[in-house]
PDB file of all heavy atoms in Angstrom:
ATOM      1  N   ASP X 784      60.463 305.610 250.387  1.00 48.00           N
ATOM      2  CA  ASP X 784      60.615 305.001 249.088  1.00 48.00           C
ATOM      3  C   ASP X 784      62.046 304.771 248.698  1.00 48.00           C
ATOM      4  O   ASP X 784      62.398 304.629 247.543  1.00 48.00           O
ATOM      5  CB  ASP X 784      59.905 305.874 248.029  1.00 48.00           C
ATOM      6  CG  ASP X 784      58.426 305.672 248.070  1.00 48.00           C
ATOM      7  OD1 ASP X 784      57.971 304.571 247.728  1.00 48.00           O
ATOM      8  OD2 ASP X 784      57.702 306.601 248.500  1.00 48.00           O
ATOM      9  N   ARG X 785      62.952 304.742 249.733  1.00 48.00           N
ATOM     10  CA  ARG X 785      64.326 304.390 249.403  1.00 48.00           C
ATOM     11  C   ARG X 785      64.409 302.928 249.033  1.00 48.00           C
ATOM     12  O   ARG X 785      63.627 302.114 249.470  1.00 48.00           O
ATOM     13  CB  ARG X 785      65.222 304.682 250.624  1.00 48.00           C
ATOM     14  CG  ARG X 785      65.284 306.158 251.001  1.00 48.00           C
ATOM     15  CD  ARG X 785      66.459 306.429 251.898  1.00 48.00           C
ATOM     16  NE  ARG X 785      66.475 305.591 253.084  1.00 48.00           N
ATOM     17  CZ  ARG X 785      65.867 305.937 254.207  1.00 48.00           C
ATOM     18  NH1 ARG X 785      65.147 307.053 254.258  1.00 48.00           N
ATOM     19  NH2 ARG X 785      65.929 305.158 255.268  1.00 48.00           N
ATOM     20  N   PRO X 786      65.434 302.550 248.244  1.00 48.00           N
ATOM     21  CA  PRO X 786      65.565 301.151 247.840  1.00 48.00           C
ATOM     22  C   PRO X 786      65.689 300.219 249.059  1.00 48.00           C
ATOM     23  O   PRO X 786      66.278 300.547 250.060  1.00 48.00           O
ATOM     24  CB  PRO X 786      66.878 301.159 247.028  1.00 48.00           C
ATOM     25  CG  PRO X 786      66.958 302.548 246.506  1.00 48.00           C
ATOM     26  CD  PRO X 786      66.395 303.403 247.602  1.00 48.00           C
ATOM     27  N   GLY X 787      65.116 299.027 248.936  1.00 64.00           N
ATOM     28  CA  GLY X 787      65.220 298.015 249.990  1.00 64.00           C
ATOM     29  C   GLY X 787      64.827 296.703 249.434  1.00 64.00           C
ATOM     30  O   GLY X 787      64.268 296.578 248.331  1.00 64.00           O
ATOM     31  N   ALA X 788      65.088 295.645 250.171  1.00 86.00           N
ATOM     32  CA  ALA X 788      64.670 294.321 249.758  1.00 86.00           C
ATOM     33  C   ALA X 788      63.163 294.220 249.751  1.00 86.00           C
ATOM     34  O   ALA X 788      62.491 294.913 250.488  1.00 86.00           O
ATOM     35  CB  ALA X 788      65.287 293.287 250.732  1.00 86.00           C
ATOM     36  N   LEU X 789      62.651 293.372 248.882  1.00 96.00           N
ATOM     37  CA  LEU X 789      61.214 293.095 248.882  1.00 96.00           C
ATOM     38  C   LEU X 789      60.972 291.745 249.543  1.00 96.00           C
ATOM     39  O   LEU X 789      61.184 290.707 248.945  1.00 96.00           O
ATOM     40  CB  LEU X 789      60.690 293.094 247.433  1.00 96.00           C
ATOM     41  CG  LEU X 789      59.176 292.775 247.307  1.00 96.00           C
ATOM     42  CD1 LEU X 789      58.357 293.804 248.054  1.00 96.00           C
ATOM     43  CD2 LEU X 789      58.778 292.703 245.851  1.00 96.00           C
ATOM     44  N   ALA X 790      60.559 291.794 250.806  1.00 98.00           N
ATOM     45  CA  ALA X 790      60.288 290.582 251.542  1.00 98.00           C
ATOM     46  C   ALA X 790      58.808 290.297 251.682  1.00 98.00           C
ATOM     47  O   ALA X 790      58.410 289.127 251.811  1.00 98.00           O
ATOM     48  CB  ALA X 790      60.920 290.695 252.968  1.00 98.00           C
ATOM     49  N   ALA X 791      57.968 291.329 251.636  1.00 98.00           N
ATOM     50  CA  ALA X 791      56.526 291.129 251.785  1.00 98.00           C
ATOM     51  C   ALA X 791      55.779 292.251 251.112  1.00 98.00           C
ATOM     52  O   ALA X 791      56.248 293.403 251.060  1.00 98.00           O
ATOM     53  CB  ALA X 791      56.155 291.101 253.267  1.00 98.00           C
ATOM     54  N   VAL X 792      54.596 291.927 250.591  1.00 98.00           N
ATOM     55  CA  VAL X 792      53.675 292.909 250.067  1.00 98.00           C
ATOM     56  C   VAL X 792      52.407 292.849 250.892  1.00 98.00           C
ATOM     57  O   VAL X 792      51.805 291.781 251.071  1.00 98.00           O
ATOM     58  CB  VAL X 792      53.362 292.692 248.593  1.00 98.00           C
ATOM     59  CG1 VAL X 792      52.337 293.735 248.084  1.00 98.00           C
ATOM     60  CG2 VAL X 792      54.610 292.740 247.739  1.00 98.00           C
ATOM     61  N   LEU X 793      52.031 293.996 251.465  1.00 98.00           N
ATOM     62  CA  LEU X 793      50.847 294.113 252.318  1.00 98.00           C
ATOM     63  C   LEU X 793      49.771 294.901 251.566  1.00 98.00           C
ATOM     64  O   LEU X 793      50.077 295.953 250.985  1.00 98.00           O
ATOM     65  CB  LEU X 793      51.211 294.842 253.612  1.00 98.00           C
ATOM     66  CG  LEU X 793      52.378 294.263 254.391  1.00 98.00           C
ATOM     67  CD1 LEU X 793      52.681 295.119 255.616  1.00 98.00           C
ATOM     68  CD2 LEU X 793      52.112 292.806 254.801  1.00 98.00           C
ATOM     69  N   PHE X 794      48.575 294.403 251.558  1.00 98.00           N
ATOM     70  CA  PHE X 794      47.486 294.993 250.805  1.00 98.00           C
ATOM     71  C   PHE X 794      46.411 295.567 251.694  1.00 98.00           C
ATOM     72  O   PHE X 794      46.055 294.962 252.708  1.00 98.00           O
ATOM     73  CB  PHE X 794      46.849 293.953 249.903  1.00 98.00           C
ATOM     74  CG  PHE X 794      47.737 293.339 248.874  1.00 98.00           C
ATOM     75  CD1 PHE X 794      48.492 292.201 249.215  1.00 98.00           C
ATOM     76  CD2 PHE X 794      47.829 293.856 247.599  1.00 98.00           C
ATOM     77  CE1 PHE X 794      49.342 291.617 248.285  1.00 98.00           C
ATOM     78  CE2 PHE X 794      48.664 293.273 246.657  1.00 98.00           C
ATOM     79  CZ  PHE X 794      49.424 292.156 247.002  1.00 98.00           C
ATOM     80  N   ASP X 795      45.878 296.718 251.338  1.00 98.00           N
ATOM     81  CA  ASP X 795      44.597 297.163 251.836  1.00 98.00           C
ATOM     82  C   ASP X 795      43.547 296.131 251.377  1.00 98.00           C
ATOM     83  O   ASP X 795      43.744 295.474 250.363  1.00 98.00           O
ATOM     84  CB  ASP X 795      44.280 298.540 251.312  1.00 98.00           C
ATOM     85  CG  ASP X 795      42.876 299.018 251.620  1.00 98.00           C
ATOM     86  OD1 ASP X 795      42.503 298.999 252.846  1.00 98.00           O
ATOM     87  OD2 ASP X 795      42.127 299.316 250.701  1.00 98.00           O
ATOM     88  N   ARG X 796      42.443 296.003 252.100  1.00 98.00           N
ATOM     89  CA  ARG X 796      41.439 295.021 251.727  1.00 98.00           C
ATOM     90  C   ARG X 796      40.379 295.595 250.793  1.00 98.00           C
ATOM     91  O   ARG X 796      40.350 295.279 249.600  1.00 98.00           O
ATOM     92  CB  ARG X 796      40.756 294.422 252.968  1.00 98.00           C
ATOM     93  CG  ARG X 796      39.898 293.187 252.637  1.00 98.00           C
ATOM     94  CD  ARG X 796      39.068 292.744 253.846  1.00 98.00           C
ATOM     95  NE  ARG X 796      37.841 293.527 253.971  1.00 98.00           N
ATOM     96  CZ  ARG X 796      36.896 293.328 254.902  1.00 98.00           C
ATOM     97  NH1 ARG X 796      37.065 292.379 255.829  1.00 98.00           N
ATOM     98  NH2 ARG X 796      35.813 294.086 254.952  1.00 98.00           N
ATOM     99  N   ASP X 797      39.563 296.488 251.330  1.00 98.00           N
ATOM    100  CA  ASP X 797      38.385 296.969 250.595  1.00 98.00           C
ATOM    101  C   ASP X 797      38.771 298.004 249.549  1.00 98.00           C
ATOM    102  O   ASP X 797      39.391 299.027 249.875  1.00 98.00           O
ATOM    103  CB  ASP X 797      37.371 297.569 251.564  1.00 98.00           C
ATOM    104  CG  ASP X 797      36.943 296.570 252.619  1.00 98.00           C
ATOM    105  OD1 ASP X 797      36.614 295.430 252.241  1.00 98.00           O
ATOM    106  OD2 ASP X 797      36.930 296.889 253.820  1.00 98.00           O
ATOM    107  N   GLY X 798      38.452 297.731 248.298  1.00 97.00           N
ATOM    108  CA  GLY X 798      38.821 298.647 247.224  1.00 97.00           C
ATOM    109  C   GLY X 798      40.152 298.337 246.616  1.00 97.00           C
ATOM    110  O   GLY X 798      40.522 298.925 245.592  1.00 97.00           O
ATOM    111  N   THR X 799      40.919 297.447 247.219  1.00 98.00           N
ATOM    112  CA  THR X 799      42.215 297.068 246.718  1.00 98.00           C
ATOM    113  C   THR X 799      42.279 295.608 246.327  1.00 98.00           C
ATOM    114  O   THR X 799      42.525 295.249 245.172  1.00 98.00           O
ATOM    115  CB  THR X 799      43.338 297.385 247.730  1.00 98.00           C
ATOM    116  OG1 THR X 799      43.348 298.821 248.002  1.00 98.00           O
ATOM    117  CG2 THR X 799      44.708 296.981 247.202  1.00 98.00           C
ATOM    118  N   LEU X 800      42.016 294.721 247.291  1.00 98.00           N
ATOM    119  CA  LEU X 800      41.965 293.277 247.006  1.00 98.00           C
ATOM    120  C   LEU X 800      40.565 292.830 246.649  1.00 98.00           C
ATOM    121  O   LEU X 800      40.392 291.946 245.777  1.00 98.00           O
ATOM    122  CB  LEU X 800      42.445 292.463 248.204  1.00 98.00           C
ATOM    123  CG  LEU X 800      43.930 292.297 248.409  1.00 98.00           C
ATOM    124  CD1 LEU X 800      44.197 291.454 249.669  1.00 98.00           C
ATOM    125  CD2 LEU X 800      44.608 291.667 247.185  1.00 98.00           C
ATOM    126  N   VAL X 801      39.550 293.375 247.317  1.00 98.00           N
ATOM    127  CA  VAL X 801      38.165 292.996 247.040  1.00 98.00           C
ATOM    128  C   VAL X 801      37.344 294.284 246.803  1.00 98.00           C
ATOM    129  O   VAL X 801      37.726 295.372 247.209  1.00 98.00           O
ATOM    130  CB  VAL X 801      37.541 292.183 248.186  1.00 98.00           C
ATOM    131  CG1 VAL X 801      38.331 290.910 248.413  1.00 98.00           C
ATOM    132  CG2 VAL X 801      37.437 292.992 249.470  1.00 98.00           C
ATOM    133  N   GLU X 802      36.240 294.119 246.101  1.00 98.00           N
ATOM    134  CA  GLU X 802      35.353 295.264 245.856  1.00 98.00           C
ATOM    135  C   GLU X 802      34.897 295.835 247.201  1.00 98.00           C
ATOM    136  O   GLU X 802      34.616 295.128 248.169  1.00 98.00           O
ATOM    137  CB  GLU X 802      34.147 294.825 245.029  1.00 98.00           C
ATOM    138  CG  GLU X 802      34.502 294.233 243.671  1.00 98.00           C
ATOM    139  CD  GLU X 802      35.112 295.257 242.733  1.00 98.00           C
ATOM    140  OE1 GLU X 802      34.967 296.475 242.985  1.00 98.00           O
ATOM    141  OE2 GLU X 802      35.721 294.829 241.720  1.00 98.00           O
ATOM    142  N   ASP X 803      34.815 297.178 247.240  1.00 97.00           N
ATOM    143  CA  ASP X 803      34.470 297.853 248.495  1.00 97.00           C
ATOM    144  C   ASP X 803      32.960 297.821 248.719  1.00 97.00           C
ATOM    145  O   ASP X 803      32.194 298.452 247.986  1.00 97.00           O
ATOM    146  CB  ASP X 803      34.951 299.314 248.432  1.00 97.00           C
ATOM    147  CG  ASP X 803      34.800 300.035 249.751  1.00 97.00           C
ATOM    148  OD1 ASP X 803      34.455 299.373 250.762  1.00 97.00           O
ATOM    149  OD2 ASP X 803      34.994 301.241 249.781  1.00 97.00           O
ATOM    150  N   VAL X 804      32.541 297.054 249.731  1.00 97.00           N
ATOM    151  CA  VAL X 804      31.166 297.034 250.189  1.00 97.00           C
ATOM    152  C   VAL X 804      31.163 297.638 251.601  1.00 97.00           C
ATOM    153  O   VAL X 804      31.712 297.041 252.525  1.00 97.00           O
ATOM    154  CB  VAL X 804      30.591 295.598 250.254  1.00 97.00           C
ATOM    155  CG1 VAL X 804      29.167 295.603 250.802  1.00 97.00           C
ATOM    156  CG2 VAL X 804      30.676 294.955 248.885  1.00 97.00           C
ATOM    157  N   PRO X 805      30.649 298.848 251.797  1.00 95.00           N
ATOM    158  CA  PRO X 805      30.784 299.539 253.067  1.00 95.00           C
ATOM    159  C   PRO X 805      30.288 298.683 254.251  1.00 95.00           C
ATOM    160  O   PRO X 805      29.195 298.104 254.198  1.00 95.00           O
ATOM    161  CB  PRO X 805      29.907 300.810 252.894  1.00 95.00           C
ATOM    162  CG  PRO X 805      29.979 301.063 251.428  1.00 95.00           C
ATOM    163  CD  PRO X 805      29.966 299.711 250.797  1.00 95.00           C
ATOM    164  N   TYR X 806      31.128 298.584 255.271  1.00 97.00           N
ATOM    165  CA  TYR X 806      30.800 297.876 256.497  1.00 97.00           C
ATOM    166  C   TYR X 806      30.286 296.450 256.239  1.00 97.00           C
ATOM    167  O   TYR X 806      29.290 296.015 256.789  1.00 97.00           O
ATOM    168  CB  TYR X 806      29.766 298.655 257.325  1.00 97.00           C
ATOM    169  CG  TYR X 806      30.151 300.105 257.572  1.00 97.00           C
ATOM    170  CD1 TYR X 806      29.285 301.120 257.177  1.00 97.00           C
ATOM    171  CD2 TYR X 806      31.401 300.425 258.093  1.00 97.00           C
ATOM    172  CE1 TYR X 806      29.647 302.464 257.400  1.00 97.00           C
ATOM    173  CE2 TYR X 806      31.755 301.752 258.296  1.00 97.00           C
ATOM    174  CZ  TYR X 806      30.885 302.758 257.945  1.00 97.00           C
ATOM    175  OH  TYR X 806      31.249 304.069 258.145  1.00 97.00           O
ATOM    176  N   ASN X 807      30.966 295.765 255.353  1.00 97.00           N
ATOM    177  CA  ASN X 807      30.478 294.452 254.944  1.00 97.00           C
ATOM    178  C   ASN X 807      30.717 293.388 256.025  1.00 97.00           C
ATOM    179  O   ASN X 807      31.840 293.178 256.472  1.00 97.00           O
ATOM    180  CB  ASN X 807      31.180 294.002 253.656  1.00 97.00           C
ATOM    181  CG  ASN X 807      30.660 292.679 253.156  1.00 97.00           C
ATOM    182  OD1 ASN X 807      29.510 292.325 253.425  1.00 97.00           O
ATOM    183  ND2 ASN X 807      31.512 291.944 252.473  1.00 97.00           N
TER     184      ASN X 807
END
Side-chain angles (χ1 to χ4, degrees):
D784 282 293
R785 296 198 304 272
L789 178 61
V792 179
L793 308 176
F794 298 88
D795 172 55
R796 191 189 82 177
D797 302 314
T799 299
L800 278 180
V801 300
E802 300 294 342
D803 188 9
V804 177
Y806 309 125
N807 183 28

